[in-house]
Amino acid sequence: MSAVITTHGLTKRFGPHTAVDSLDLHVPRGTIYGFLGPNGSGKSTTMKMLLGLTQPSSGGIEILGEPLTRASRTRLLPSIGSMIEAPPGYGHLTGRENMRIVQDMLELSTPQIDRALATVRLTEQQHKLVRNYSLGMKQRLGIAMALARDPSLLVLDEPTNGLDPAGIEEIRTLLVELSGQGITIMVSSHLLDEIDKMAGILGILAGGRMIFQGSREQLFEHSVPDLIIETPEQQAALAQVATIAPGAPDADGIRISGIDKDRTAQVVHRLALAGIPIHQVRREQQSLEDVFMDLTGREGLL
Ligand SMILES: Nc1ncnc2c1ncn2[C@@H]1O[C@H](COP(=O)(O)OP(=O)(O)OP(=O)(O)O)[C@@H](O)[C@H]1O
């Protein structure tokens, strides 16, 4: 699958702090790429570099098959719609007036503006002052501004941030619809839940480094299912296994995370030697949220 965004060793340092560390991004054409990571993990900085708003300290970026340079940026930008640090728009103007500013700046046609407003379902609200819009409407106006130029790539930084479940669902439906029209979408969030349902590919950042990039299924493959040992002698079992692999109490016995086959055999052997009754030994797949938490080290994620 051809890539719309590729980066090689993309790095950004702020003084001694490395905010983005050797990133190799691969955003395939036509997908929704969910860019995930805790607050401060480097998502916004990466997106700003992709849009040429911040200069990388080192590494390369290719957008739509072209290396991103000062010269190519001017040529590429009309194909890229973006919303960084949302929501944009002047509160003392109406939605329509805000769109007119975008229209004049980018020399767009009136049908393009009408279409963008209709796509985000703001046609009826376009003559209201933006300061009277709900947060969800402001986010949708931001997306309309990004969409008006008919881009082939949309880069959206946390478009669901602060929205209630209904607002999140609206944005999700909209992005899936836009993806269906062939637009490649890169969308960031610090919440797995908001993105997992719509993204075909997930890229997960922690501390500026990419710790996973691939499909949801591949993410699951990364995880070792928990080991559940059913026993009525929970405390004795926990004490016995503690030196091999620390466990935790579970409804029917004990649960041990991230344990391989060899140590599983050791654990079962130890329990049998100690005369602890084992009613069942089984594996239980973690939830995607747990896999994500394990990968990101549970840093600041909800
Ligand atoms: N202009 C800057 N000068 C110095 N440090 C910066 C600057 N911009 C970002 N940083 C630092 O770089 C790191 C990554 O920030 P960034 O905003 O990219 O993270 P993020 O994943 O988008 O998080 P958030 O969702 O909170 O915006 C943070 O430690 C931040 O403090």
Side-chain angles (χ1 to χ4, degrees), residues 14 17 19 37-46 48 157-158 190 205:
F14 293 109
H17 177 63
N39 288 324
S41 55
K43 304 179 299 292
S44 301
T45 305
T46 302
K48 284 182 193 162
D157 192 10
E158 304 244 10
H190 61 285
L205 272 192

Side-chain angles (χ1 to χ4, degrees), residues 227-229 234-235 238 241 245-251 253-257:
L227 182 73
I228 311 285
I229 300 173
Q234 193 180 60
Q235 289 311 318
L238 284 173
V241 303
D250 195 68
I254 66 171
R255 173 184 293 261
I256 306 174
S257 300

Side-chain angles (χ1 to χ4, degrees), residues 40-292:
S41 55
K43 304 179 299 292
S44 301
T45 305
T46 302
M47 287 178 147
K48 284 182 193 162
M49 288 193 280
L50 297 177
L51 296 165
L53 301 171
T54 299
Q55 279 299 309
S57 305
S58 57
I61 301 173
E62 272 177 37
I63 305 270
L64 301 163
E66 264 198 79
L68 183 66
T69 61
R70 221 177 274 273
S72 69
R73 180 174 181 263
T74 318
R75 211 173 30 254
L76 286 167
L77 276 186
S79 316
I80 310 171
S82 65
M83 182 167 74
I84 303 286
E85 281 160 352
Y90 296 109
H92 65 286
L93 300 179
T94 65
R96 182 81 202 184
E97 286 162 347
N98 272 288
M99 289 301 285
R100 201 163 296 136
I101 294 175
V102 175
Q103 179 177 7
D104 292 346
M105 226 160 48
L106 301 174
E107 297 176 5
L108 304 175
S109 68
T110 301
Q112 279 177 298
I113 299 299
D114 290 337
R115 223 172 21 245
L117 282 167
T119 304
V120 302
R121 298 175 190 91
L122 275 182
T123 306
E124 282 180 19
Q125 314 283 348
Q126 61 178 307
H127 299 299
K128 267 195 185 166
L129 291 182
V130 167
R131 66 165 166 255
N132 297 329
Y133 276 13
S134 67
L135 181 59
M137 287 161 71
K138 286 180 188 163
Q139 302 281 48
R140 282 188 280 138
L141 179 66
I143 296 175
M145 289 175 168
L147 267 183
R149 62 185 74 189
D150 295 321
S152 52
L153 169 64
L154 261 185
V155 177
L156 305 174
D157 192 10
E158 304 244 10
T160 49
N161 206 9
L163 297 184
D164 60 16
I168 293 170
E169 195 51 46
E170 265 182 355
I171 301 280
R172 216 171 6 223
T173 308
L174 172 61
L175 297 188
V176 169
E177 202 177 294
L178 292 173
S179 166
Q181 293 167 17
I183 301 176
T184 305
I185 300 172
M186 181 179 188
V187 53
S188 75
S189 177
H190 61 285
L191 297 173
L192 173 72
D193 233 28
E194 291 183 0
I195 252 181
D196 161 45
K197 286 185 205 135
M198 62 177 158
I201 303 282
L202 298 170
I204 302 181
L205 272 192
R209 297 188 73 94
M210 182 78 89
I211 51 172
F212 173 82
Q213 183 170 235
S215 67
R216 191 179 193 278
E217 291 68 34
Q218 287 167 328
L219 182 56
F220 266 129
E221 283 165 20
H222 258 242
S223 77
V224 181
D226 286 354
L227 182 73
I228 311 285
I229 300 173
E230 290 186 13
T231 172
E233 292 184 25
Q234 193 180 60
Q235 289 311 318
L238 284 173
Q240 284 296 330
V241 303
T243 54
I244 306 170
D250 195 68
D252 302 314
I254 66 171
R255 173 184 293 261
I256 306 174
S257 300
I259 181 172
D260 61 17
K261 287 180 188 164
D262 289 344
R263 282 190 309 150
T264 300
Q266 284 177 36
V267 160
V268 173
H269 183 62
R270 170 80 57 89
L271 292 175
L273 275 184
I276 291 174
I278 301 171
H279 294 170
Q280 201 184 129
V281 177
R282 60 188 162 87
R283 292 274 181 183
E284 192 173 281
Q285 182 63 56
Q286 289 173 282
S287 70
L288 192 63
E289 194 72 36
D290 284 336
V291 178
F292 182 48

